[in-house]
Amino acid sequence: MARSNYDVTRDSARQLFLRYDQETMIRRFGLDHDAAYLYLPFVGRNYRVDRRTGVVAWSDDGFRTAHEADFNEALSICDALCCSKEGCRLAGTFCTVNQLKGVVQSSRVGDGMFQPAAQRFDGRTAQLARACSALGGVPEGRGDVAFRLYPFPFLPVLFQFWSSDEDFPASLTILWDENTLDFVRYETTYYIAGHLLRRLLELMGE
């Protein structure tokens, strides 16, 4: 059976990982590690990266069992470990993805991509708030549900959701630290956001 482009790209990310210095990754992010794996949390779940193969896997039982990461998970983790800049630091101020430092201001890539999720969250603010809390989120910001969430321990986002009313549809915004592109590439923010929304829906029973 032919392999999908997603599988090909995920395999390329493994090879990218193997070309980078793992001791730098460990030092930069304070990663737990042993001779076989690097460990880090991602969107409220524990992951490990095989130091010999670059394969990313997750577990909910301390790695007594493990599940291979999908495209969004693997690309997000490999990009953060491999492509973050030396001396990366958070700015402490948040903006939309198209206002990040280094992004052309006229860029409108991704506009409207969160609308399907916003519609699924609509009318379920209590469940959504519980899901945000389950991911370790802290209430913060504006919205009917508003939390500071940590996809990675070193990279926060602000999640803001507004329910629909008689005048406006439900809406959802994810704000990023202004220096996010010191940690991951622009396109990776969409992989991270996509996985974050999927995890919230999972925790809400979907």
Side-chain angles (χ1 to χ4, degrees), residues 37-93:
Y37 300 102
L38 305 183
Y39 300 89
L40 76 164
F42 177 56
V43 193
R45 179 170 272 161
N46 292 319
Y47 288 76
R48 69 186 184 190
V49 186
D50 191 302
R51 302 184 70 168
R52 296 176 299 103
T53 67
V55 171
V56 181
W58 60 269
S59 177
D60 285 330
D61 61 7
F63 289 102
R64 289 187 293 275
T65 60
H67 310 272
E68 188 171 346
D70 69 11
F71 176 89
N72 283 348
E73 297 164 299
L75 269 290
S76 298
I77 289 170
C78 287
D79 191 45
L81 294 181
C82 298
C83 300
S84 56
K85 298 178 182 178
E86 184 65 35
C88 51
R89 297 288 186 275
L90 297 174
T93 53

Side-chain angles (χ1 to χ4, degrees), residues 90 94 148-158 175-177 180:
L90 297 174
F94 291 85
R148 181 185 289 236
L149 299 171
Y150 286 84
F152 292 108
F154 47 82
L155 187 62
V157 298
L158 292 185
L175 301 178
W176 301 81
D177 186 274
T180 290

Side-chain angles (χ1 to χ4, degrees), residues 18-37:
L18 296 175
R19 292 200 298 268
Y20 279 77
D21 181 59
Q22 296 176 18
E23 294 304 318
T24 297
M25 301 173 190
I26 292 167
R27 172 184 54 78
R28 184 170 294 162
F29 296 120
L31 301 180
D32 290 336
H33 61 283
D34 55 31
Y37 300 102

Side-chain angles (χ1 to χ4, degrees), residues 88-168:
C88 51
R89 297 288 186 275
L90 297 174
T93 53
F94 291 85
C95 62
T96 66
V97 70
N98 287 319
Q99 295 173 320
L100 293 171
K101 293 177 182 177
V103 174
V104 176
Q105 292 301 304
S106 61
S107 175
R108 307 303 301 169
V109 175
D111 279 5
M113 71 171 293
F114 299 147
Q115 195 56 37
Q119 292 171 352
R120 294 170 75 178
F121 294 145
D122 200 18
R124 306 171 68 191
T125 55
Q127 290 174 276
L128 178 58
R130 286 195 294 270
C132 288
S133 294
L135 291 181
V138 178
E140 181 179 338
R142 299 177 300 162
D144 295 321
V145 178
F147 279 78
R148 181 185 289 236
L149 299 171
Y150 286 84
F152 292 108
F154 47 82
L155 187 62
V157 298
L158 292 185
F159 175 92
Q160 300 176 329
F161 171 77
W162 288 265
S163 300
S164 63
D165 60 25
E166 61 275 11
D167 296 316
F168 298 101

